[in-house]
């Protein structure tokens, strides 16, 4: 796939206006927000409950890490399939199906069986993979001139959902009774609400012919005319696409490692479990600011190299504080990590729309970057759990995380070039 150098700020390089074939923009935005709320909530909700789940089934630290790793792994495995699904069934139907599948996975995960626990994690991972890849293309198509801003909106909303889930999981367990199963199962209701809100988009898409957003520039070839296999082959040979994938993968690995183990790390250093959950929720709350502001800033820049390096550097600072002073510096580490991880997530998603010139291109790059990214990220939680079990502490895990932050900086330097695929 050819790489071209951008000649003006990427936020202005958008396709010609295309009349939306979906419902009213406000209804579309509501649907996007409600879908995005589900995309991290069910993952963050289980983090404060890992200890209870471990006790219920008698799991080792490594097996407990798989509770978070399995969904991430299946996000990577499911991502490459999504462009084919959207071409065959349409993005609107695929999003609806994925939200319903997500709700089913949440319910399956709380059944009284280890097989159901991990089976639900697999289903959740596939559902999130489909949503992860579908949303950038949808945003690129429906908001061609404001793709980076809208990426900030839905990535922020994802983290709002994660923050709410992390903060209320333990109180919800006490309020509802029934243990961790009832608390985690309740999040299926949020998926049902999102499905109902998204239904008008599906009905509207069946009534109108598909509108195709064409790439910017009069001489650009239509993205939909190239054979899918050739397009995939081209993008997998692109160094820029690999740099974006590496930035997303390492950033996601650091995020999911903290999602899986931050409360446990703090608790094992003497912090009260409830307070550790609050620190974790606070970190997720700060992520919201990073996830919104960083893509907004990225869309106003021709190159985002400095922004990518800054996010990786903040990740390193937060990890260092956690390594040197885990309990006294917990709130500082949570704030710095929250800003870095939210900003890295938003920037990685923004790269998908900023480095492509069409909705089809965004879907192709999204499929690749998220397949590679989440397969890399899957190593984080289970690897951290295995190292904890092997060494009896968290020092080696955090040292390795510091090294990976430097690798993310290098990948982000390449991904932030002012070029498009």
């Amino acid at each position: 796939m050819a790489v071209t150098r951008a000649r003006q700020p990427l936020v202005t390089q958008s396709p010609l206006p295309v009349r939306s074939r979906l419902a009213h923009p406000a209804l579309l935005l509501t649907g996007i927000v409600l879908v995005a709320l589900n995309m991290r909530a069910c993952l963050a909700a289980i983090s404060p409950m890992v200890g209870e789940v471990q006790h219920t089934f008698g799991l080792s630290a490594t097996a407990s890490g798989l509770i978070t790793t399995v969904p991430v792994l299946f996000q990577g495995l499911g991502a490459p399939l999504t462009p084919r699904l959207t071409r065959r069934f349409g993005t609107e139907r695929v999003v609806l199906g994925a939200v319903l599948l997500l709700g089913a996975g949440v319910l399956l995960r709380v059944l009284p069986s280890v097989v159901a626990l991990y089976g639900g994690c697999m289903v959740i991972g596939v559902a999130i993979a489909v949503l992860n890849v579908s949303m950038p293309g949808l945003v690129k198509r429906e908001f061609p001139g404001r793709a980076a801003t809208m990426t900030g909106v839905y990535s922020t909303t994802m983290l709002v959902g994660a923050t709410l889930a992390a903060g209320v999981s333990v109180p919800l367990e006490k309020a509802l009774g029934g243990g961790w199963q009832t608390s985690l199962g309740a999040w299926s209701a949020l998926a049902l609400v999102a499905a109902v809100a998204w239904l008008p988009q599906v009905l509207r898409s069946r009534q109108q012919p598909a509108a195709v957003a064409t790439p910017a520039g009069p001489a650009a070839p239509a993205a939909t005319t190239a054979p899918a296999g050739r397009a995939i082959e081209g993008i997998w040979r692109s160094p820029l696409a690999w740099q974006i994938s590496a930035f997303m993968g390492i950033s996601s690995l650091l995020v999911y490692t903290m999602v899986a183990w931050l409360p446990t790390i703090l608790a094992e250093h003497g912090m009260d479990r409830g307070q550790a959950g609050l620190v974790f929720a606070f970190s997720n709350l700060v992520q919201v600011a990073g996830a919104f502001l960083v893509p907004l800033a990225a869309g106003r820049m021709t190159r985002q190299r400095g922004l990518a390096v800054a996010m990786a550097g903040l990740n390193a600072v937060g990890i260092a504080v956690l390594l040197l002073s885990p309990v006294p510096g917990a709130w500082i580490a949570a704030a710095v990590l929250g800003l870095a991880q939210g900003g890295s997530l938003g920037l990685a998603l923004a790269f998908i729309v900023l480095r492509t010139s069409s909705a089809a291109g965004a879907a192709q790059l999204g499929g690749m970057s998220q397949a590679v990214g989440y397969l890399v990220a899957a190593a984080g939680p289970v690897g951290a759990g295995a190292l904890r079990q092997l060494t009896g502490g968290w020092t080696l895990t955090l040292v390795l995380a510091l090294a990976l932050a430097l690798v993310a900086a290098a990948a982000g330097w390449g991904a932030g070039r002012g070029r498009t695929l």
Side-chain angles (χ1 to χ4, degrees):
M1 180 172 286
V3 179
T4 58
R5 185 179 299 277
R7 299 181 181 277
Q8 56 182 331
L10 290 167
V11 71
T12 64
Q13 291 189 348
S14 60
L16 296 175
V18 177
R19 183 182 301 276
S20 173
R21 61 192 175 95
L22 300 186
H24 190 278
L27 191 58
L28 172 61
L29 182 59
T30 300
I32 290 174
V33 167
L34 287 172
V35 169
L37 276 174
N38 283 272
M39 290 171 64
R40 291 294 181 274
C42 60
L43 298 180
I46 201 169
S47 184
M49 304 286 190
V50 167
E52 293 184 47
V53 177
Q54 183 177 8
H55 177 73
T56 299
F57 294 110
L59 303 176
S60 66
T62 303
S64 298
L66 286 172
I67 295 172
T68 304
T69 298
V70 167
V72 180
L73 177 62
F74 275 79
Q75 285 180 60
L77 296 175
L81 305 177
T82 306
R84 296 182 182 181
L85 292 175
T86 56
R87 284 194 299 269
R88 180 170 180 179
F89 300 106
T91 303
E92 298 75 34
R93 294 183 185 179
V94 169
V95 169
L96 177 62
V99 172
L100 293 173
L101 186 66
L102 181 63
V106 170
L107 292 176
L108 178 60
R109 187 175 60 177
V110 300
L111 294 180
S113 164
V114 174
V115 174
L117 172 68
Y118 291 115
C121 291
M122 295 176 189
V123 173
I124 287 170
V126 171
I128 293 176
V130 174
L131 295 173
N132 279 338
V133 178
S134 299
M135 296 301 281
L138 180 71
V139 166
K140 187 79 174 180
R141 188 189 73 194
E142 296 300 320
F143 305 95
R146 296 173 291 165
T149 301
M150 288 304 301
T151 298
V153 169
Y154 87 80
S155 60
T156 299
T157 306
M158 286 194 296
L159 294 177
V160 168
T163 302
L164 290 174
V168 307
S169 284
V170 175
L172 195 62
E173 177 187 16
K174 297 176 180 177
L176 297 177
W180 61 268
Q181 293 92 339
T182 303
S183 176
L184 296 182
W187 293 100
S188 61
L190 183 61
L192 181 60
V193 171
V196 172
W198 191 254
L199 189 59
Q201 314 306 330
V202 177
L203 297 177
R204 183 67 177 261
S205 70
R206 295 176 61 184
Q207 296 170 2
Q208 297 188 17
V212 179
T214 57
T224 55
T225 62
R230 184 178 302 170
I232 292 173
E233 182 183 6
I235 202 170
W236 283 84
R237 292 199 304 263
S238 167
L240 178 58
W242 277 104
Q243 288 162 344
I244 293 169
S245 300
F247 181 79
M248 172 170 282
I250 297 171
S251 299
S252 299
L253 182 149
L254 296 175
V255 170
Y256 283 111
T257 299
M258 291 298 107
V259 166
W261 295 112
L262 180 59
T264 304
I265 291 171
L266 297 176
E268 289 192 7
H269 281 89
M271 182 175 284
D272 176 74
R273 176 174 168 264
Q275 186 178 0
L278 290 176
V279 173
F280 177 64
F282 171 69
S283 182
N284 279 276
L285 181 62
V286 178
Q287 284 186 38
V288 173
F292 180 74
L293 295 176
V294 171
L296 192 64
R300 299 177 182 273
M301 300 175 179
T302 301
R303 300 188 263 301
Q304 297 82 23
R305 285 178 156 180
L307 205 55
V309 172
M311 292 303 102
L314 287 174
N315 252 320
V317 170
I319 293 166
V321 172
L322 199 59
L323 179 64
L324 298 174
S325 182
V327 174
W331 292 96
I332 296 174
V336 175
L337 285 172
L339 182 60
Q341 293 175 351
S344 296
L345 170 65
L347 184 57
L349 294 173
F351 279 150
I352 295 173
V353 296
L354 293 174
R355 297 285 92 92
T356 55
S357 56
S358 69
Q364 290 285 339
L365 180 57
M368 174 189 171
S369 63
Q370 299 197 47
V372 174
Y374 287 115
L375 287 174
V376 170
V382 69
L387 287 175
R388 164 66 183 85
Q389 190 168 336
L390 180 65
T391 65
W394 296 100
T395 300
L396 182 57
T397 296
L398 295 174
V399 169
L400 289 176
L402 272 175
L404 287 172
L406 298 178
V407 179
W413 183 260
R417 290 177 292 168
R419 299 184 178 187
T420 56
L421 292 169

